[in-house]
Amino acid sequence: MKFTLKDYQEGAVREVLSNLRKAKRRWQEDRDTHSFSLTAVTGAGKTVMAAAVFEALFRGDDNYDFEADPTAVVLWFSDDPSLNEQTRYRLMEASDRLNHSDMVVVEPPFNRERFQAGKIYFLNTQKLGKKSLLVRGFDADDPLDIRPDSQAYTIWDTIQNTIEDPELTLYLVLDEAHRGMGGTSKSTEAEKSTIVKRLINGQGAIPPIPVVWGISATIDRFRAAMKVAEKRNTLTDVQVDAAKVQESGLLKDVIVLAVPREVGDFDTVLLRRATDKIIESTKAWAAYAKAQGDKKPVKPLLVLQVPNTPDPDDIGRAISTIRDRWPDLTYDAIAHVFGDHSAQTFGSYRVEHISPERVQDATEIRVLIAKDAISTGWDCPRAEVMVSFRPAKDKTHITQLLGRMVRTPLARRIPGNDRLNSVDCLLPKFDQTTVEQVAQALMKGGGDQEEQDIPGRRILINPVDMLPNPSVLEAVWAKFVTLPSQSLPQGGAKPIKRLTLLAHEIAMDKILLNAGKKAHAEMHLVLDAATARYAGDIVAARKDVLTVEGRAMRADMNAKTMSFDDFLEAADYTVIEDAYRRAGRVLSPDVARTYAGYLANKNSSKDPEGDLIDAHTTIAALGLVEAVKEYLDAEADKLARHWFEEFRVQIKSLSDERQEIYRQLKVWSADPQDVDLVKPTSGMQATVARDINGVETPLESYKHHLLCDEKGMFACELNGWESTVLLTEMQRQGFRAWYRNPSRSSQDSLGIAYWIGNEYKIVRPDFLFFSALADGSIVADIVDPHGTFLSDSLPKLRGLAKYAEEHPRVYRRIEAVAKIEGTSRVLDLTDPAVRHAVGEATDIKVLYGSSHASNY
């Protein structure tokens, strides 16, 4: 893969491959057909995951312990040929192990007896329709359905022959992730349903396709598509957690909706505002690139969405408004993606067409005029501002297009910068009530009602920008960035792989030269120690490697009896090498290879080939002893932790992009890891609360927050006891500043891990407070108004207690406040006795009512 997969992507790929392995085995053994789905929200990287699956399916992958399937043929089926082309492009973009020739778009005349193993064939509904040349001659009952002279096989013949060939296994990928917005005729939908049903169930002489893998935005969507399935077994569906997708940084954190606060024609006003935003964004990205030493800044895109039958003169006037506000915008920086693919005249402007899939890479295009064709299957991470001239009744068109603009341009979150982690949508023809419906749809990933809300995503309506408060002392900021945050463990990678990747990165950044060789040298010593420590087990395992056990059947035809004799034979070179490769998958192929060379050199004789075979035999034996793997993993993890600590300062001085790579490597662990808290440089905050009727109420504003508006104020919505905590802390002696800790997953949000339901989760305390002591030094306090009514209240409290125990000198106070029978009570988690009581507690209310708590 050209990309490093996120933890949730790695996990999903592993589950998909497990399902494919099971489905193939059951098809070959019992001719049972199976189906399952992979579901994930828009922007999760479903095509990237598919690319990783296909690499393993066709080429094998030691990381997933998956042997290549030499019989595999993939048939990718979607609604639309343009979607197939985009998918093919993305697969090539993501994979370095799939060749261009491995991906075949099926076009007439195809005329093949069967599909070829190791290839992905792209088909769509139209190409299997009654009028397609690919199926001519398929319906023998229709006298007019004559096979073309040059076509010996219809596509249905090809599918049938492929399924019936015992040397081939056909996998159908049903791409339901991209759906149109409605408007498709009933006859078209009926034809599609018939085609899908024929693929899944078979018809007449055509057998059902053995394995169906659905890729969908929602589980309900795929299940609806699979209602036509008959007598097909189902495997466990693979569902990607939407919270993990948002946490990964692949999706923008903030979607800003700007609407008029009063009734009237505000097209020009909001269009000018949108132009200002794209200019500001351009400058912000340029400044960020300069600070990071990047010579290619992101070039953000403004999308102008128009109705399906727009007035060309209206579009021309919009272009004039944009150019008046943005005089540097050249004529050739404007393009359109209308369906007729020809240059268009808008007023006095002639605007060229561009294919949707080219927009992201065509960075010279800065303004894109669109209807709704790009609402499906299109991604353009650099699209950051959209103005929609569609009326409120078209909210589905707007949410689906905006849902395609949520990917982050650099495939990572910009630390502490809401402006660069956001997308703006300006809706001049919307009222306050309808925009709430858009916000609700966007919280579900783009408009599908069955989708779940995406935790961590914020939809803000007419927010105010927040910048670092100029009145806050630099000493406060210096203290802030030393506070250790925690991340969820992402144990997808083996410790030895994590160490190897870490060594590669620190060598590339010239932090430690020859780090890879040094890491492997350390692991060679570890394996030497393991050989001595588990000598008895390894001798027995080596014997197993060098011998092959079997049983021979002897039949006496006269006596009509059978007997079985056990036999033991010496293993040949092929058997030893097979055992060595299996051990490599257990220990790590790279470490196995370098350790083999190390052993061969150490035990060198006059027979180098024999020395290498002996080394491979030893490694094969090591791979059979489970304790060796556990010992190697533990030592690899220990060395990686040591290097992270030893080189912490050097890593911190790198660019954000490089630091993000190390952050991802650090959290590849079975346990929560401390990660640096980042200073926020740009924030966005709502200043009004809206009720269900759209009535607005101004939010309370407070001074001394780390981020503030131009008046030095920070607006936020607090409940009664949160307000009490804030006002109480602000009145304490030495108080200097406070921070409303964001509830989202971002580098400027302090997270603390806690254990619940056999997994780790993250709690984000509400408040951080900063005070000056008599000597002028700054101290930090965590004060968390902590409810007692939720099922996770006690586990969260235990997480805070464990965090306080692990970081005893970082904070002055770590306190959890709860209201018990009208009285605010506090637990001081820096007190060992209180932490012990928290660990032993079974009832959180009793705990707050005990002598371990005091009145706040």
Side-chain angles (χ1 to χ4, degrees):
M1 291 292 291
K2 295 176 184 175
F3 306 138
T4 299
L5 268 60
K6 303 293 185 182
D7 176 63
Y8 72 83
Q9 293 173 331
E10 287 258 9
V13 169
R14 197 177 302 278
E15 291 182 55
V16 168
L17 288 171
S18 175
N19 278 351
L20 294 180
R21 182 190 286 123
K22 291 176 187 174
K24 179 197 173 183
R25 185 180 67 247
R26 294 172 185 174
W27 166 253
Q28 289 184 333
E29 293 176 355
D30 302 314
R31 313 310 280 177
D32 287 340
T33 59
H34 289 78
S35 66
F36 69 95
S37 74
L38 165 66
T39 61
V41 298
T42 300
K46 290 183 281 288
T47 310
V48 172
M49 291 183 257
V53 168
F54 296 148
E55 283 189 349
L57 187 65
F58 295 148
R59 311 283 189 258
D61 195 303
D62 291 327
N63 182 47
Y64 300 111
D65 194 17
F66 191 89
E67 295 279 357
D69 178 2
T71 73
V73 178
V74 172
L75 182 61
W76 186 288
F77 184 83
S78 77
D79 280 353
D80 191 295
S82 64
L83 291 180
N84 279 345
E85 186 56 37
Q86 290 174 44
T87 299
R88 191 174 71 90
Y89 174 80
R90 288 182 195 155
L91 289 174
M92 289 189 293
E93 186 181 41
S95 174
D96 55 6
R97 300 175 68 195
L98 298 175
N99 301 318
H100 182 275
S101 59
D102 294 333
M103 288 173 267
V104 181
V105 177
V106 178
E107 300 278 8
F110 190 64
N111 197 31
R112 304 238 182 122
E113 183 177 3
R114 58 180 54 81
F115 293 129
Q116 184 180 341
K119 293 188 182 295
I120 304 167
Y121 293 89
F122 293 92
L123 268 175
N124 56 277
T125 308
Q126 295 88 335
K127 290 175 182 174
L128 292 181
K130 292 180 180 178
K131 297 180 181 180
S132 170
L133 291 176
L134 289 171
V135 303
R136 287 282 296 276
F138 169 71
D139 191 350
D141 296 330
D142 185 352
L144 299 178
D145 192 11
I146 303 171
R147 189 188 306 269
D149 292 339
S150 62
Q151 188 169 306
Y153 304 98
T154 70
I155 190 64
W156 291 111
D157 294 331
T158 306
I159 292 172
Q160 177 181 347
N161 293 336
T162 302
I163 296 171
E164 292 177 343
D165 190 331
E167 301 299 320
L168 297 173
T169 305
L170 184 58
Y171 300 88
L172 171 66
V173 179
L174 187 60
D175 183 5
E176 288 288 312
H178 302 130
R179 298 295 297 274
M181 297 177 298
T184 306
S185 67
K186 290 184 178 179
S187 60
T188 302
E189 282 297 316
E191 183 177 20
K192 182 204 168 186
S193 178
T194 301
I195 291 168
V196 172
K197 184 175 182 179
R198 187 178 296 155
L199 286 168
I200 294 172
N201 297 331
Q203 182 179 8
I206 303 172
I209 289 181
V211 184
V212 177
W213 168 23
I215 298 181
S216 179
T218 71
I219 190 73
D220 290 339
R221 181 182 288 175
F222 177 69
R223 287 174 178 166
M226 290 301 294
K227 283 181 179 178
V228 299
E230 299 172 359
K231 298 179 182 179
R232 182 173 289 270
N233 300 295
T234 56
L235 295 168
T236 303
D237 292 313
V238 180
Q239 299 185 58
V240 173
D241 187 344
K244 290 184 177 180
V245 180
Q246 191 69 43
E247 184 178 344
S248 72
L250 286 179
L251 306 183
K252 292 165 184 169
D253 290 323
V254 182
I255 297 177
V256 178
L257 302 179
V259 294
R261 293 189 181 276
E262 53 191 283
V263 177
D265 187 355
F266 297 98
D267 291 15
T268 304
V269 174
L270 288 190
L271 186 56
R272 286 200 298 265
R273 180 177 173 83
T275 308
D276 289 343
K277 284 186 174 294
I278 203 70
I279 294 171
E280 291 169 10
S281 181
T282 300
K283 292 177 180 177
W285 278 114
Y288 179 76
K290 183 177 180 180
Q292 297 295 309
D294 187 351
K295 296 181 180 179
K296 292 185 177 180
V298 172
K299 297 292 183 67
L301 178 76
L302 168 63
V303 178
L304 185 64
Q305 188 187 35
V306 298
N308 283 347
T309 55
D311 184 332
D313 291 334
D314 286 346
I315 298 177
R317 283 189 288 271
I319 294 174
S320 294
T321 300
I322 294 170
R323 293 200 71 248
D324 288 345
R325 203 74 168 187
W326 194 2
D328 292 338
L329 182 72
T330 59
Y331 293 102
D332 58 359
I334 306 171
H336 76 85
V337 285
F338 289 2
D340 53 12
H341 296 190
S342 60
Q344 300 284 310
T345 300
F346 303 125
S348 60
Y349 301 96
R350 180 176 173 82
V351 177
E352 297 294 331
H353 174 267
I354 187 171
S355 299
E357 63 271 15
R358 289 190 53 236
V359 175
Q360 172 64 17
D361 294 328
T363 56
E364 70 279 5
I365 303 300
R366 305 302 305 282
V367 175
L368 185 70
I369 303 168
K371 296 178 183 177
D372 58 26
I374 57 176
S375 297
T376 302
W378 178 72
D379 288 306
C380 187
R382 68 184 185 92
E384 293 199 350
V385 181
M386 180 176 88
V387 182
S388 179
F389 289 137
R390 289 206 177 244
K393 63 183 177 64
D394 286 345
K395 58 181 178 291
T396 301
H397 295 266
I398 294 165
T399 54
Q400 291 200 344
L401 175 53
L402 196 56
R404 311 307 309 175
M405 297 169 58
V406 295
R407 292 180 189 266
T408 49
L410 301 179
R412 60 180 173 85
R413 181 180 287 111
I414 306 304
N417 196 318
D418 274 356
R419 170 51 59 196
L420 297 185
N421 293 324
S422 67
V423 57
D424 286 85
C425 179
L426 295 92
L427 303 168
K429 298 185 180 300
F430 269 52
D431 56 33
Q432 297 283 350
T433 302
T434 314
V435 80
E436 290 284 351
Q437 298 172 354
V438 173
Q440 292 169 10
L442 289 171
M443 280 302 297
K444 296 180 180 296
D448 282 7
Q449 291 305 307
E450 69 266 28
E451 292 189 44
Q452 60 179 311
D453 283 0
I454 300 178
R457 173 174 287 183
R458 291 193 299 158
I459 311 295
L460 300 179
I461 302 173
N462 297 334
V464 172
D465 288 334
M466 298 283 164
L467 297 174
N469 193 330
S471 68
V472 172
L473 299 173
E474 277 303 314
V476 170
W477 285 115
K479 181 65 178 178
F480 179 89
V481 297
T482 66
L483 303 181
S485 183
Q486 292 184 326
S487 63
L488 286 174
Q490 298 178 7
K494 298 175 182 177
I496 192 69
K497 179 183 178 183
R498 178 189 184 218
L499 174 63
T500 302
L501 291 173
L502 174 60
H504 171 77
E505 301 300 338
I506 59 179
M508 188 171 75
D509 288 321
K510 297 182 172 56
I511 294 173
L512 179 65
L513 298 179
N514 298 316
K517 290 182 179 179
K518 292 176 180 178
H520 277 219
E522 290 289 336
M523 294 304 100
H524 297 164
L525 296 177
V526 169
L527 289 172
D528 283 350
T531 302
R533 176 178 291 193
Y534 306 108
D537 293 334
I538 291 170
V539 168
R542 187 180 175 90
K543 181 181 178 181
D544 289 340
V545 172
L546 291 171
T547 56
V548 177
E549 296 182 6
R551 173 171 287 191
M553 183 187 76
R554 179 179 297 167
D556 187 330
M557 301 305 294
N558 292 324
K560 297 184 178 180
T561 60
M562 287 189 301
S563 62
F564 295 88
D565 297 326
D566 294 331
F567 66 84
L568 205 64
E569 293 284 348
D572 60 16
Y573 174 77
T574 302
V575 172
I576 293 172
E577 286 302 294
D578 183 59
Y580 164 72
R581 283 193 295 270
R582 288 199 304 271
R585 287 197 293 271
V586 172
L587 302 176
S588 159
D590 286 341
V591 170
R593 176 180 51 79
T594 58
Y595 189 55
Y598 164 82
L599 288 178
N601 290 333
K602 188 169 70 169
N603 304 321
S604 61
S605 66
K606 294 182 179 180
D607 181 12
E609 185 176 349
D611 291 337
L612 189 60
I613 293 174
D614 187 66
H616 283 191
T617 304
T618 299
I619 293 169
L622 289 169
L624 293 174
V625 180
E626 179 64 27
V628 171
K629 177 184 178 299
E630 294 173 357
Y631 181 59
L632 181 66
D633 284 348
E635 292 300 311
D637 186 62
K638 187 186 298 183
L639 180 57
R641 288 172 183 263
H642 171 72
W643 278 356
F644 275 121
E645 183 61 32
E646 181 179 0
F647 304 126
R648 185 180 64 83
V649 175
Q650 292 97 315
I651 293 171
K652 188 73 173 172
S653 66
L654 299 172
S655 69
D656 287 347
E657 181 181 16
R658 297 299 301 159
Q659 287 189 60
E660 176 64 13
I661 290 172
Y662 287 102
R663 192 184 73 84
Q664 293 290 340
L665 287 174
K666 192 170 189 180
V667 301
W668 271 359
S669 174
D671 302 310
Q673 301 289 305
D674 286 350
V675 292
D676 291 328
L677 198 60
V678 172
K679 176 183 177 179
T681 58
S682 170
M684 294 183 188
Q685 200 70 13
T687 58
V688 297
R690 285 182 180 80
D691 63 19
I692 58 175
N693 298 315
V695 177
E696 296 184 348
T697 304
L699 295 176
E700 193 72 34
S701 292
Y702 302 89
K703 295 181 178 180
H704 308 301
H705 190 268
L706 295 186
L707 296 175
C708 67
D709 61 18
E710 57 186 12
K711 296 179 181 179
M713 305 300 288
F714 182 83
C716 63
E717 190 168 9
L718 304 177
N719 61 33
W721 59 322
E722 288 173 337
S723 298
T724 298
V725 166
L726 176 57
L727 296 176
T728 300
E729 295 298 326
M730 292 175 74
Q731 292 168 11
R732 294 193 189 278
Q733 185 174 2
F735 167 80
R736 291 291 181 270
W738 67 287
Y739 187 59
R740 174 69 160 174
N741 193 40
S743 59
R744 63 187 182 275
S745 173
S746 59
Q747 291 98 318
D748 58 343
S749 175
L750 179 72
I752 296 174
Y754 68 99
W755 183 258
I756 183 172
N758 294 319
E759 66 175 336
Y760 283 105
K761 292 190 176 181
I762 295 290
V763 58
R764 300 188 184 276
D766 284 337
F767 295 117
L768 299 176
F769 295 98
F770 300 88
S771 302
L773 299 180
D775 62 2
S777 61
I778 299 295
V779 293
D781 302 316
I782 291 176
V783 183
D784 187 31
H786 196 88
T788 60
F789 53 90
L790 297 175
S791 60
D792 62 356
S793 296
L794 190 54
K796 285 180 178 177
L797 192 59
R798 288 185 177 135
L800 287 169
K802 189 171 188 295
Y803 178 80
E805 182 179 11
E806 292 174 348
H807 305 91
R809 290 180 292 276
V810 176
Y811 299 91
R812 179 180 61 173
R813 292 181 296 143
I814 298 180
E815 296 183 344
V817 180
K819 187 163 284 190
I820 305 296
E821 296 180 357
T823 301
S824 293
R825 301 276 288 172
V826 60
L827 291 165
D828 180 5
L829 299 173
T830 60
D831 184 338
V834 173
R835 292 200 298 267
H836 179 75
V838 170
E840 297 293 320
T842 57
D843 188 315
I844 192 170
K845 290 185 178 180
V846 171
L847 179 62
Y848 273 105
S850 72
S851 60
H852 294 291
S854 57
N855 287 340
Y856 179 67

